[in-house]
Amino acid sequence: MTYIRKQYHALRERILEPRHFMQILAGPRQVGKSTLVGQVLDDISIPYTLEVADAVDPKDSDWIHRVWESARATMQIRKEQERLLVIDEVQKIDNWSEMVKREWDEDCRRHVNLKVVLLGSSRLLLKRGMTESLAGRFELIRLGHWSLQEMRDAFGVTLDQYIYFGGYPGPAGMIDNEKRWRKYIKDSLVAPAIEKDVIMTSNIYKPALMKQLFELGCGYSAEILSLTKLMGQLQDAGNVTTLAAYLDILDECALLTGLQKYANDDARKRGSVPKYQVYNNALLTAYKGHSFLADRTDTKLWGRWVESAVGTHILSMAEELDYKVYYWREPSRSKDESDKEVDFIIDNDGELTAIEVKSGRRGMNSGLPAFVEAFHPKRAFIVGTGGVSLEDFLSCDIESCLLYTSDAA
């Protein structure tokens, strides 16, 4: 079965429109960017040129000019009224955005009807190039990790399977062979993402430290731990400032983030202890899981997977909808009381939504009412037992969910 993601329709419609902007399809590795473009190309009648920069020497910046010129020459020879040029993994080429800008502007001056689609898996490099050189020349289509609804529709994945194995489509057929699945995640997903999208394309002076930080951070997803304590578990030498910078890069690549504690001022947010959160629960399972059966039947442990899955769903649309995600914790004042904590705080242009995940990991604490009293959020609700069902929340569109609760308030 061929599954069509919603971004397919947006890309197809924009390609069929008159040439006005180049289209940039961006997202992490192995979420189906090339597959989606292939589906669109099969469904349109516009002639096209498809080039992949993955095996090109990064220093060969003139490669972009050569493929662009070849597409122009083909148009002229065949007397075509329009043509589509698709370049995959464009961020691998040094100075790619300047080269693309030059060629695009040249076509605009000469009225060459060559439409352009660019694909890239490094959000960090794409963002740099788009903001530095291509302002006003592109539209961005984000392709994120697969949701529960998509994995269920495409592969028949159950709620528990999604929570544990995450939302990568490639290894979905391997979940019955966990050893094989885990090897695929580490060798075919994580290794290329770290080595090609992170280490080779950023100023990483300690690659071994970066890899260790990523692996440990994935294992701590949904946990709060200071970088100082985390550093004590790393074999390579480093400092807190270096780790914080590396964590920011992993966040830009949609792999792992460190959520900040919500506070009224930015200084307290930046100085807070991070709460680690993977962008896809497959990363937590690959580095921390024992087996689906063992972890699913451990009530306390399963609670971590549930909370992390809720976090991945909240993060999935954060950049596109331009909201910030935090956690909140207030230390207890006595040994007889537990810390007051709220798992996720969504800040949508000053409008707060507080979400507490209730599962086998722990019972309800006084965090949610305490946060409501202190910060007066627009919405506050529970996901899990006694609130919005886990399946409903993980299946919903975040924007629609927030709008719905806002209207109901």
Side-chain angles (χ1 to χ4, degrees), residues 22-26 96 118 126 130 134 138-141:
M22 68 183 80
Q23 300 299 319
I24 299 181
L25 186 64
W96 70 271
L118 306 177
L126 285 173
M130 290 185 295
L134 300 181
F138 70 92
E139 288 183 290
L140 178 64
I141 299 176

Side-chain angles (χ1 to χ4, degrees), residues 28-30 121-122 168 185-201 214 250 253-255 283:
R29 282 183 173 270
Q30 297 291 321
S121 57
S122 174
Y168 282 118
I185 293 294
K186 291 183 177 181
D187 295 345
S188 297
L189 291 178
V190 172
I194 296 295
E195 294 170 7
K196 294 184 179 181
D197 296 340
V198 178
I199 293 177
M200 290 182 62
T201 57
F214 172 73
L250 291 169
C253 294
L255 292 169
L283 302 176

Side-chain angles (χ1 to χ4, degrees), residues 14-307:
R14 294 178 187 182
I15 289 174
L16 294 177
E17 292 173 352
R19 180 185 184 273
H20 192 49
F21 300 109
M22 68 183 80
Q23 300 299 319
I24 299 181
L25 186 64
R29 282 183 173 270
Q30 297 291 321
V31 297
K33 296 185 298 296
S34 299
T35 298
L36 186 144
V37 169
Q39 291 171 335
V40 173
L41 295 179
D42 289 341
D43 197 36
I44 61 175
S45 58
I46 301 174
Y48 62 87
T49 298
L50 174 61
E51 299 287 349
V52 181
D54 207 15
V56 180
D57 183 352
K59 293 181 172 48
D60 186 10
S61 298
D62 194 57
W63 178 83
I64 292 177
H65 171 69
R66 296 197 301 273
V67 301
W68 215 293
E69 274 290 277
S70 296
R72 292 180 183 132
T74 301
M75 282 187 69
Q76 187 173 10
I77 293 170
R78 297 184 180 180
K79 295 181 170 49
E80 296 169 342
Q81 297 300 310
E82 64 178 349
R83 191 170 188 85
L84 176 65
L85 173 62
V86 181
I87 304 179
D88 198 353
E89 296 291 350
V90 66
Q91 86 281 347
K92 298 292 180 63
I93 305 299
D94 292 347
N95 202 33
W96 70 271
S97 57
E98 285 294 334
M99 299 298 296
V100 167
K101 174 186 175 183
R102 186 181 72 180
E103 302 300 329
W104 177 263
D105 289 350
E106 177 67 16
D107 285 346
C108 291
R109 286 191 294 269
R110 295 170 50 193
H111 303 289
V112 177
N113 194 18
L114 182 61
K115 300 176 179 179
V116 176
V117 174
L118 306 177
L119 286 74
S121 57
S122 174
R123 186 168 64 175
L124 179 63
L125 280 185
L126 285 173
K127 183 183 292 185
R128 288 174 182 170
M130 290 185 295
T131 55
E132 292 171 1
S133 304
L134 300 181
R137 296 171 174 83
F138 70 92
E139 288 183 290
L140 178 64
I141 299 176
R142 295 182 178 89
L143 198 65
H145 294 283
W146 286 47
S147 67
L148 168 62
Q149 190 65 51
E150 289 175 317
M151 292 295 288
R152 182 164 50 198
D153 291 346
F155 306 105
V157 170
T158 67
L159 172 63
D160 285 352
Q161 288 173 332
Y162 179 77
I163 290 171
Y164 196 72
F165 295 104
Y168 282 118
M174 303 178 187
I175 60 177
D176 290 333
N177 186 339
E178 292 188 39
K179 184 177 181 180
R180 181 185 177 193
W181 176 89
R182 197 182 305 270
K183 185 173 177 58
Y184 181 92
I185 293 294
K186 291 183 177 181
D187 295 345
S188 297
L189 291 178
V190 172
I194 296 295
E195 294 170 7
K196 294 184 179 181
D197 296 340
V198 178
I199 293 177
M200 290 182 62
T201 57
S202 304
N203 294 322
I204 306 298
Y205 299 105
K206 293 179 175 291
L209 181 63
M210 165 65 84
K211 292 179 181 179
Q212 292 175 42
L213 170 64
F214 172 73
E215 294 176 7
L216 274 176
C218 287
Y220 278 108
S221 187
E223 294 288 318
I224 300 170
L225 183 69
S226 72
L227 289 172
T228 301
K229 290 183 178 179
L230 187 69
M231 188 168 58
Q233 301 183 47
L234 299 171
Q235 297 177 0
D236 200 347
N239 56 56
V240 171
T241 302
T242 300
L243 292 181
Y246 287 177
L247 192 57
D248 286 342
I249 293 173
L250 291 169
D251 181 26
E252 290 287 355
C253 294
L255 292 169
L256 173 71
T257 190
L259 301 179
Q260 297 174 332
K261 175 185 173 181
Y262 182 78
N264 282 324
D265 62 276
D266 291 338
R268 290 180 63 192
K269 291 176 183 176
R270 287 192 295 269
S272 63
V273 176
K275 176 178 180 177
Y276 301 93
Q277 176 63 57
V278 293
Y279 275 83
N280 192 311
N281 253 24
L283 302 176
L284 167 60
T285 300
Y287 289 100
K288 196 68 174 181
H290 300 96
S291 73
F292 175 67
L293 181 60
D295 295 333
R296 179 63 185 91
T297 53
D298 185 328
T299 304
K300 183 177 180 180
L301 192 60
W302 185 248
R304 277 196 57 205
W305 262 262
V306 169
E307 184 179 330

